[in-house]
Amino acid sequence: MSDTEEVEHVEEEYEEEEERPKPKITGPRIPEGEKVDFDDIHKKRQNKDLLELQALIDAHFEHRKQEEEELVALKDRIEKRRSERADQQRIRAEKEKERQTRLAEEKVRREEEDLKRRADDDAKKKKI
């Protein structure tokens, strides 16, 4: 396609777009010949808005109530976990203390056995 053909093609498309009718935007129609009660329309609109607002408020407070319940449950779970951890640490500390006590007793017993064995060995050497 040459440049002139391209330009002609684009011009044709542009002309087609101009020929199409564009939709007209109009406001709401008011019935002719009838008396329109704007106060009634306004009251209905306000009532509808009020109901919608109340529904939004109710939904908000329901959601907030659920979040509060979740928060209370979370706090309870955290407190329960803390108490369990404290118990576990206390038990672990008691076991460690018992283990240290056993190790100390075993060390004292071994030292006493060593001393006794050395005393026996010394006594045998003296007899010989």
Side-chain angles (χ1 to χ4, degrees):
M1 200 182 256
S2 69
D3 289 337
T4 55
E5 290 175 347
E6 229 176 276
V7 170
E8 289 174 0
H9 181 66
V10 170
E11 287 177 354
E12 288 174 6
E13 287 179 0
Y14 183 72
E15 289 173 1
E16 288 175 5
E17 287 178 7
E18 288 179 352
E19 293 173 2
R20 293 184 198 144
K22 295 185 179 179
K24 294 181 181 179
I25 299 174
T26 60
R29 290 194 156 197
I30 299 174
E32 293 181 23
E34 295 180 26
K35 183 177 178 183
V36 179
D37 188 4
F38 287 108
D39 288 337
D40 187 44
I41 293 171
H42 181 68
K43 285 179 185 177
K44 286 180 182 177
R45 180 68 187 163
Q46 277 188 326
N47 192 24
K48 179 183 172 191
D49 289 346
L50 178 65
L51 291 174
E52 185 179 341
L53 184 60
Q54 285 176 339
L56 288 172
I57 290 170
D58 291 342
H60 167 75
F61 281 106
E62 279 297 316
H63 187 258
R64 190 163 173 194
K65 183 179 177 183
Q66 289 174 348
E67 286 178 344
E68 279 292 323
E69 290 171 354
E70 290 173 2
L71 184 62
V72 168
L74 179 62
K75 285 181 180 179
D76 290 344
R77 216 172 73 215
I78 289 171
E79 188 59 37
K80 182 180 175 184
R81 179 74 177 132
R82 276 191 188 139
S83 65
E84 288 174 356
R85 288 285 295 151
D87 288 344
Q88 289 173 352
Q89 287 177 343
R90 181 182 50 79
I91 291 169
R92 195 172 297 127
E94 288 174 1
K95 287 181 179 179
E96 182 63 23
K97 188 176 179 181
E98 289 173 4
R99 187 179 74 82
Q100 291 296 333
T101 305
R102 264 195 330 268
L103 288 175
E105 289 173 355
E106 191 174 315
K107 183 177 179 183
V108 168
R109 184 183 53 81
R110 272 190 266 132
E111 287 175 356
E112 287 175 354
E113 287 176 359
D114 269 353
L115 287 175
K116 185 178 178 184
R117 191 177 60 232
R118 285 183 189 162
D120 288 346
D121 288 346
D122 288 343
K124 285 182 184 178
K125 285 182 183 177
K126 287 180 182 178
K127 285 184 180 178
I128 299 179

